[in-house]
Amino acid sequence: MKVKHLVGAFLCVLGCYACSSPKTEVQSPDGHIKMTLTVDENGKPFYNVSVDDSLLIENSAMGFTAANGIILAEGFQVKNTTFSSEDETWTQPWGENKKNRNHYNEMTVTLEQPETGRILNIRFRLFNDGLGFRYELPLQRKMNYLTVKDEVTEFNLTGNHKAFCIPGDYDTNEFAYTTAL
């Protein structure tokens, strides 16, 4: 009799835990790339990326600070997580490929700082050949403008991986790629 009640209580607690911890993992359409977002005990968001079950980017911090003392890098709780997918083909008038496929799975995580009431959305898009993410600040009473002072986003690669980069320029992205090791 006691074991039956204990098992029932355990399942109830487990069910409540699952309800309060939204899923924060998304995969590329072919399942080849997996990205997970976690929030640690201090409310700091971290992400990691696996490719074919091998960790490529290990826990890397996310967020930024603002010039007016606003810190959007800690004190968060996951408030909501939404998922969507897209699979469309679009035509461009010039370039290497006339037809381009836009196929991805998307996860948007809404983070809230309970102490300040501030909200930060992080939108992740995973394609079969890579991923991207962006920070979004929804309209909110607690913050009507923001000047970014420092970005704390990290890319903790698990090895000495090859990177392809172009010089930063405010008015064009038309540069030759260079390879960095």
Side-chain angles (χ1 to χ4, degrees):
M1 189 75 147
K2 289 182 180 180
V3 172
K4 195 179 215 181
H5 291 291
L6 183 60
V7 170
F10 174 74
L11 291 175
C12 182
V13 169
L14 184 62
C16 291
Y17 175 76
C19 293
S20 65
S21 299
K23 180 180 175 190
T24 53
E25 178 180 293
V26 64
Q27 294 184 357
S28 59
D30 65 2
H32 165 74
I33 303 170
K34 180 173 75 173
M35 196 288 316
T36 305
L37 178 92
T38 58
V39 177
D40 74 3
E41 64 277 355
N42 296 316
K44 294 180 181 182
F46 291 89
Y47 74 100
N48 62 58
V49 177
S50 297
V51 178
D52 293 329
D53 297 323
S54 295
L55 191 62
L56 175 68
I57 299 176
E58 60 188 346
N59 279 349
S60 298
M62 302 191 82
F64 49 89
T65 60
N68 55 354
I70 293 175
I71 299 172
L72 292 172
E74 60 187 41
F76 285 112
Q77 291 179 349
V78 175
K79 182 178 179 182
N80 189 31
T81 306
T82 59
F83 297 89
S84 64
S85 295
E86 184 70 56
D87 190 0
E88 65 181 359
T89 302
W90 56 276
T91 304
Q92 67 178 358
W94 63 87
E96 294 178 27
N97 303 311
K98 186 161 183 77
K99 299 277 186 190
N100 294 280
R101 187 175 184 198
N102 184 29
H103 188 201
Y104 62 83
N105 289 329
E106 179 178 279
M107 175 177 73
T108 303
V109 180
T110 300
L111 300 173
E112 180 180 29
Q113 291 177 325
E115 289 186 20
T116 66
R118 293 186 189 109
I119 296 191
L120 173 67
N121 293 332
I122 307 176
R123 184 178 306 268
F124 299 91
R125 283 191 181 168
L126 274 72
F127 303 83
N128 290 336
D129 61 353
L131 67 97
F133 62 84
R134 71 178 182 195
Y135 298 107
E136 299 174 347
L137 294 169
L139 188 60
Q140 51 196 297
R141 284 189 279 150
K142 301 283 184 178
M143 187 173 50
N144 59 3
Y145 70 93
L146 186 78
T147 302
V148 175
K149 178 181 173 185
D150 188 27
E151 185 175 357
V152 299
T153 305
E154 298 175 343
F155 301 90
N156 294 323
L157 299 171
T158 57
N160 189 20
H161 302 286
K162 186 185 293 186
F164 302 94
C165 51
I166 60 173
D169 195 341
Y170 72 94
D171 63 350
T172 185
N173 289 320
E174 300 291 328
F175 293 104
Y177 286 91
T178 57
T179 304
L181 294 175

